[in-house]
Amino acid sequence: MMKCISCGEEYEIDEIIYTCKKCDSTLEVVSSHPDISKDIFSCRKSTMWKYKEFLPVDETKIVSLEEGGTPFCKCDKLGSELGIDLYVKVEGSNPTGSFKDRGMSVGMTKAVELGVNTVGCASTGNTSASLAAYAARAGKRCIVLLPAGKVALGKLAQAMFHGAEVISIRGNFDEALETVTSLALEGQLYLLNSVNPYRLEGQKTIGFEIVDDLGWKSPDRIVLPVGNAGNISAIWKGIKEFHEAGFMDDLPMMTGIQAEMSAPITNAVRQGKNTIEPVKDPETIATAIRIGAPVSAQKALRAIYESNGYADTVTDDEILSAQKLLARKEGIGVEPASAASIAGLLKMVESGEVDKGEQVVCIVTGHLLKDPNTAIDACVEPLEIDADVKTLSKIINKQ
Ligand SMILES: *Cc1c(COP(=O)(O)O)cnc(C)c1O
Ligand SMILES: [Zn+2]
């Protein structure tokens, strides 16, 4: 069943509904815990469906591009400089290059179960790229709303190329989401933004994989960028499910990082509040987290408070320099929003929020190639020369 996170109202699993009819809060999927041993996972293929007993859909209808099972890179160079034990979970290695694929796989499977014809979303880019690909795979009509002029090039290319009907909205993400939600409530499409609780069911597998990769242990802390706040809520849900299943003993501090000018969740945490004050004109170069009114704010705040976690902000300059640092010191190329987790980590080590010796997992949410323009702007142009050995030799030996 689905359950309202505020008033506890319950809804049937096959009802098409996104928020509570009584109090308008978000819903979450509640399933009974499978009575299984964690040993059954070890011989399965390394995709997120490895944990299918924890995913509330019909196994015969799964729509998958083999998402999940992403790299879990130990980053000793950066970690030792910071005096911590650092792992980076590389979500850019998913089929369309972001963690959204995990949520979309479960969400699209649900769309198939429900028998809907048309799916849709508002997106800062990655949700539309992912939805377009999974809609193609499932054979569904796909409509996506994007904030005009604010979507990174790679994401736009993906949404268009996979055949989505792409519509640019004169307005920001929050306004696009409001518009498409109204359309969904009229029954014109099945909404696959992260307000749809099935999206979060898929994304909770990030939590499963971290625990599995660490040998059925929790890290001290999980750090990730926060935009619409679905992912931090989802990962915490996954971690708690494995904890309740007895697969692990400890719990991590859930730590969310937002861009300074788009930080409603961090603002609330700093004031110890349980609700957010929306940011009217959110701004940041990290377009994937350029969101002022996160739909999963309540779930995210719960995750942070329940886990004794933390929230911080970073500037665009800090994001860009962390993006370059990760690329050049560890060889991991991520888009700007993803680098917010690394930028936040650097800031929290400096401030003493992160202790020496802590085991920290940073989630890097999307691939470098999602936003090639920002990457190119951060570098100097290549020198152009004739194909001549002497000239070449001169150039590479100077300095
Ligand atoms: C969607 C997205 C985020 C933000 O995730 P939320 O669940 O909206 O908080 C961060 N980084 C990237 C690359 C994304 O695509
Ligand atoms: Zn309710």
Side-chain angles (χ1 to χ4, degrees), residues 97-100 124-127 155 194 199-200 203 224-232 288-289 291 335 337-338 364-367 370:
S98 85
F99 71 83
K100 299 297 198 299
T124 62
N126 281 331
T127 299
K155 306 175 188 184
S194 58
R199 280 275 311 278
L200 304 199
Q203 288 166 210
L224 72 155
V226 172
N228 221 8
N231 211 28
I232 190 168
I289 53 172
I291 294 174
E335 67 166 281
S338 313
V364 291
T365 43
H367 199 280
K370 290 284 193 173

Side-chain angles (χ1 to χ4, degrees), residues 180-296:
V180 75
T181 302
S182 302
L183 206 64
L185 291 174
E186 288 177 9
Q188 299 205 49
L189 51 80
Y190 183 59
L191 186 63
L192 277 169
N193 276 99
S194 58
V195 66
N196 184 321
Y198 288 95
R199 280 275 311 278
L200 304 199
E201 290 302 296
Q203 288 166 210
K204 74 189 183 186
T205 56
I206 297 176
F208 294 167
E209 288 175 15
I210 290 171
V211 170
D212 192 340
D213 279 335
L214 286 173
W216 304 101
K217 287 198 177 68
S218 170
D220 294 317
R221 186 187 296 272
I222 296 177
V223 184
L224 72 155
V226 172
N228 221 8
N231 211 28
I232 190 168
S233 312
I235 294 172
W236 180 238
K237 187 170 193 279
I239 295 270
K240 278 199 304 188
E241 287 181 11
F242 267 19
H243 188 256
E244 278 156 26
F247 296 172
M248 59 198 282
D249 297 323
D250 297 323
L251 291 165
M253 293 175 274
M254 298 303 297
T255 303
I257 309 297
Q258 297 199 286
E260 200 168 45
M261 306 301 284
S262 314
I265 306 246
T266 306
N267 295 342
V269 171
R270 285 178 179 158
Q271 296 166 28
K273 288 191 179 158
N274 288 309
T275 51
I276 59 142
E277 195 70 50
V279 172
K280 201 153 179 356
D281 293 304
E283 227 10 288
T284 169
I285 194 165
T287 48
I289 53 172
R290 188 172 167 272
I291 294 174
V295 290
S296 296

